[in-house]
Every structure is written in C-alpha cells, then in structure tokens.
Amino acid sequence: MLWILICEISDQKKFTIVTLKEYGYASVKRHIPSEKDDIYTVASANLLLAPEIIARLNNITNSYARTLQITERILRHTGRPLNNLINKNEDEIKSKCNSVLSEFPELDFLCLQEVWERNYALMLIEELKKEFFYYVYDIGEYSLQKNYCMLGSGLFFASKKPILDVDFFTFTFRTKHAKLTTQGVLCVKVLLHYEENGDNHVGYIANVHTQAFQGTDAVLLSQLTDIRIFTSLFKDQKTLPGDIVDFDIVCGDFNSDNMSPADLEVQQHCLFEEYQDICVEKVGNDVDWAIGTELRQSMLYQPEMENPEYFRELLIDDSLRRKYVLDADVLIHSTHLMTSVAKPGANGFIDPLPYGGKRRVDKILYRGNTSDIVGYCFLSTLTNLTDHLPVCMSFKPWLLYK
C-alpha cells in the first residue's frame, strides 16, 4: 500500500541517467576527438534479470550470480569490431561458421532487455564502468493506470559516447501479463564527435521490447506502429540546427520472427520498410547465415550448453540447433513456446528443416544503406545465462541527414 501511495502522489522520472565522468555538455566536447570513428558496434541482448519467482517460471535461476557472469563475458571481448561481412567471398559470408561467434566484439553501445530490477542494473553498471561511461536504467512508468505499480520496462542502455537526450514511451496497447509492466520504446540521442564549425555528429538508437504471447490479439502490430511513431517524434523534437545525423538504429526483442505463419502480418509492417534488417532475404525468408535467437527453455541447462565454443558448434549445425533453438513455425503466440521441444523423426534423429531453429526475435534494424554494415553476428557467449542469443552489428556511420 505504501508503494502504491508513493507511485500515485510522487513526481516520478521515467528513467535514470548515469554519467560516470562528471562534467557538463560544454566540457564533454573537449573530451571527444574531432576525428570521426570509422566503425561503431552495437549489441542487443535479453538477459532475464528478474525477481527470482519470474526467473524460475522461465527455467532460469540465480539472477544475482548471472549478472556478474554476464558482465564478465561482455567485457572479455575480442578487442575489435566485427568484419565478417566484408573482405570474404560469397560462400564464406553465407556460412553460419562466419556469423555465429562465441565472443563479443568490442562494443560502443549496449542495449539490454529484461533488466527488471534496479539492483541488477546497478550491478551491471558497477562492472561495465570499466569500459562504458554513460547509462540509462530504471526505465518505466509506475501508476495504477499504467502497470498497477508493478514492473517497469526492463530496458537498459550503456554507451561509450555521451548521451545528449533520452525519452521513453510506453506502448499504448498491452494485454494479459504485459499490463503489469510498462514495456515500450527507449529513444536515445548520442554525441559521436564534433566539427570545428560547431556542427555535432549524432546518432539515434532505440531499444525496444514488445509483448510476448499476444495470442490472437493484434498487439505486436500496434506496438510496431508505436515504435515507428515514437522514434519519429523523438527525432523531430531532438534534432537541432547543426546536428548531423550519422546513424539511426532500432534494436531489441521484437517477440516475432520473419518466417513464422503467426508473424505474417508483422513481417509486412511498414517499420521494416523504413528500417533495414540485414538478416532478411525477403518477407517470410531469412538469409542462409541467420539463425534463431529464442532458446528452448526446457533445454537451458543441458551439459553440452555449458561451453560457449562447443555450443557455437551446435548452433551452426542445422539439425542439432533445433534441439536448443525454437523453430520459426509458430502458428499462435502462446505460452506453449515455453515448453516446446524438437521431436525426432522416424530415424530417431532431429531432421534439419528450412525453418528449423530460426525463430529470430532479437534484431538490430538499420536505417540507411546496408552496404555500410561490415559485420553482424549471433553469439553463444551467454549460454546458460539467459534464454536468448545476443546479436551484434558493426557499421560505418553513414550521413542520413543534416
């Protein structure tokens, strides 16, 4: 009752911004080189750092210990951006050996979903501060009308570049369990570098998490429309004279894939016309090197998943991957996905299928020329630590508008 009273009468902020280098915007400009960075890298990952009862319902335990292990693996990176989509022949690019990796690249921006608890967000910051200096966390709105004063959005953002502006928008249409949260869109404007004439090169990143298990309701279509409207509104309001926009990205857990029959209308939403998904060959079909990112929850603690390098070998195999990653054959979004298992064929083995192990719900969308994307990968790094595979993208900044 006290918590509800606080939510109802207090003046709340929709998010908390943390800057580990304590200086104002004018001083920030002195700390940022005027030279343009050649490549930026962004990662998106759903971590399911939640109250223990929620984590256990998803067959994951011990969020405290997992938080420390997750940050350790993120920081134990290769020290360089991705380059697996350039300087290779066509056969190498099409190979899953090229796109499924066991180590994070060096990141500039990190977008996380399902960081439901403030204490886990603070633990992430405490560890990630070795490389990242700017954060947005504790994101959401709390009221009886919005979420019954229960959970926020679970979104989290970390950056090596200064954050200029932030806003958060709660989805206008949510059903079932999602009414207890304020899932939505986090929009961030970052300062990349500046020119001597005073112009600022900036980038826009939106971190999203749409509703799971929508059933027969058109929840995802509504939320994709919200994403398009909210991101456009944010850019219109925050783009200033002298701003040079170098990139515009939307990433996160979309809870839909490009191949499942249940997602046919979602696949054709205009958001995917405005932003490019490099993993899409056409509506209803992904490129050969793309794999699914939503793991089968009943398989999370198999011994063969304990080692990221060995798990990578399983993910590359079109037959073995189906044992651990959901198929892109979803007919209806329901909780049966939490207990779904791959059934062996008549020969006793799990057969490879065109949609097998390809439920790719975690995405990074890029507005611009996809030829500027130099790398994209799916990571086995966080095996045993979450029920999703992280995705990463490296790209050359491309002038969108001035």
Side-chain angles (χ1 to χ4, degrees):
M1 293 297 294
L2 179 60
W3 172 244
I4 293 173
L5 180 63
I6 291 172
C7 289
E8 289 298 300
I9 67 174
S10 64
D11 182 19
Q12 302 177 48
K13 294 182 179 179
K14 293 190 288 186
F15 47 81
T16 300
I17 300 175
V18 172
T19 301
L20 297 184
K21 291 184 177 180
E22 296 296 334
Y23 41 63
Y25 174 63
S27 299
V28 168
K29 300 183 75 170
R30 293 197 294 270
H31 287 79
I32 297 181
S34 58
E35 291 81 13
K36 184 177 181 179
D37 287 353
D38 290 332
I39 295 176
Y40 296 107
T41 303
V42 59
S44 176
N46 183 318
L47 301 184
L48 190 53
L49 297 177
E52 199 65 17
I53 186 172
I54 297 177
R56 288 176 181 269
L57 285 173
N58 291 271
N59 198 29
I60 292 203
T61 61
N62 205 338
S63 295
Y64 179 87
R66 285 192 296 115
T67 302
L68 298 175
Q69 294 177 65
I70 286 169
T71 55
E72 189 272 332
R73 295 190 191 185
I74 291 173
L75 296 175
R76 193 176 63 208
H77 53 69
T78 63
R80 58 184 183 275
L82 298 168
N83 64 353
N84 58 322
L85 296 182
I86 59 173
N87 302 324
K88 297 180 184 295
N89 62 47
E90 195 67 20
D91 290 337
E92 286 181 304
I93 291 177
K94 288 182 178 180
S95 170
K96 294 180 181 66
C97 295
N98 185 55
S99 63
V100 183
L101 306 178
S102 59
E103 287 184 293
F104 272 91
E106 184 174 6
L107 303 175
D108 298 289
F109 311 104
L110 178 61
C111 296
L112 303 178
Q113 302 86 46
E114 295 202 11
V115 183
W116 293 111
E117 293 279 333
R118 296 181 186 88
N119 57 318
Y120 298 138
L122 291 172
M123 288 173 63
L124 288 171
I125 293 172
E126 180 63 26
E127 297 302 316
L128 293 174
K129 70 181 182 182
K130 298 167 186 175
E131 294 195 10
F132 296 88
F133 306 109
Y134 309 92
Y135 301 88
V136 188
Y137 79 103
D138 192 18
I139 302 158
E141 300 178 271
Y142 296 86
S143 69
L144 287 173
Q145 293 74 28
K146 290 281 188 178
N147 64 344
Y148 301 101
C149 302
M150 296 293 286
L151 295 172
S153 70
L155 299 175
F156 178 99
F157 177 76
S159 173
K160 291 182 179 177
K161 298 293 185 181
I163 295 171
L164 297 181
D165 277 299
V166 181
D167 208 347
F168 172 76
F169 306 86
T170 301
F171 289 134
T172 56
F173 180 38
R174 291 163 288 128
T175 63
K176 305 172 185 175
H177 61 281
K179 288 185 175 182
L180 303 178
T181 75
T182 49
Q183 287 178 299
V185 187
L186 174 70
C187 297
V188 183
K189 177 184 177 183
V190 293
L191 176 63
L192 303 175
H193 65 100
Y194 66 95
E195 295 185 353
E196 292 182 358
N197 64 3
D199 289 346
N200 291 325
H201 285 260
V202 301
Y204 287 106
I205 302 175
N207 185 11
V208 307
H209 187 194
T210 61
Q211 180 179 329
F213 314 133
Q214 68 168 353
T216 57
D217 297 319
V219 178
L220 293 180
L221 285 175
S222 172
Q223 294 183 351
L224 290 179
T225 298
D226 283 348
I227 292 170
R228 187 168 181 266
I229 292 173
F230 294 156
T231 54
S232 178
L233 180 64
F234 179 77
K235 288 178 289 187
D236 289 344
Q237 292 177 341
K238 303 302 183 182
T239 302
L240 305 175
D243 281 350
I244 300 173
V245 180
D246 282 0
F247 63 79
D248 182 359
I249 286 171
V250 177
C251 64
D253 179 358
F254 288 78
N255 272 306
S256 63
D257 64 70
N258 181 52
M259 300 177 70
S260 289
D263 295 322
L264 180 60
E265 289 185 294
V266 172
Q267 296 157 15
Q268 302 176 68
H269 193 277
C270 56
L271 179 71
F272 299 112
E273 297 176 1
E274 185 174 338
Y275 290 86
Q276 310 301 312
D277 183 348
I278 196 172
C279 297
V280 170
E281 182 178 70
K282 62 180 181 179
V283 172
N285 194 40
D286 280 354
V287 294
D288 292 338
W289 51 264
I291 67 170
T293 61
E294 188 170 7
L295 301 180
R296 298 185 188 274
Q297 293 184 356
S298 59
M299 304 299 295
L300 292 179
Y301 293 103
Q302 298 301 304
E304 59 268 29
M305 291 181 64
E306 292 180 0
N307 182 282
E309 185 58 42
Y310 184 67
F311 186 44
R312 172 184 175 270
E313 298 298 321
L314 300 177
L315 293 174
I316 291 170
D317 188 286
D318 289 339
S319 176
L320 295 176
R321 184 178 63 254
R322 292 190 58 212
K323 182 178 179 182
Y324 309 96
V325 182
L326 287 172
D327 295 336
D329 63 348
V330 178
L331 298 177
I332 185 170
H333 293 259
S334 69
T335 53
H336 82 278
L337 296 174
M338 299 174 68
T339 56
S340 173
V341 295
K343 297 180 180 178
N347 59 4
F349 296 96
I350 298 175
D351 297 322
L353 295 171
Y355 53 80
K358 300 199 77 170
R359 180 155 173 78
R360 185 176 58 86
V361 300
D362 301 272
K363 306 171 186 179
I364 302 175
L365 309 181
Y366 182 77
R367 185 178 173 215
N369 191 340
T370 55
S371 64
D372 294 314
I373 299 175
V374 299
Y376 196 105
C377 75
F378 305 86
L379 293 167
S380 64
T381 321
L382 302 185
T383 179
N384 282 144
L385 299 178
T386 182
D387 57 349
H388 287 246
L389 298 180
V391 291
C392 293
M393 183 177 79
S394 293
F395 58 95
K396 297 177 182 178
W398 184 65
L399 178 62
L400 286 176
Y401 52 86
K402 179 177 179 181

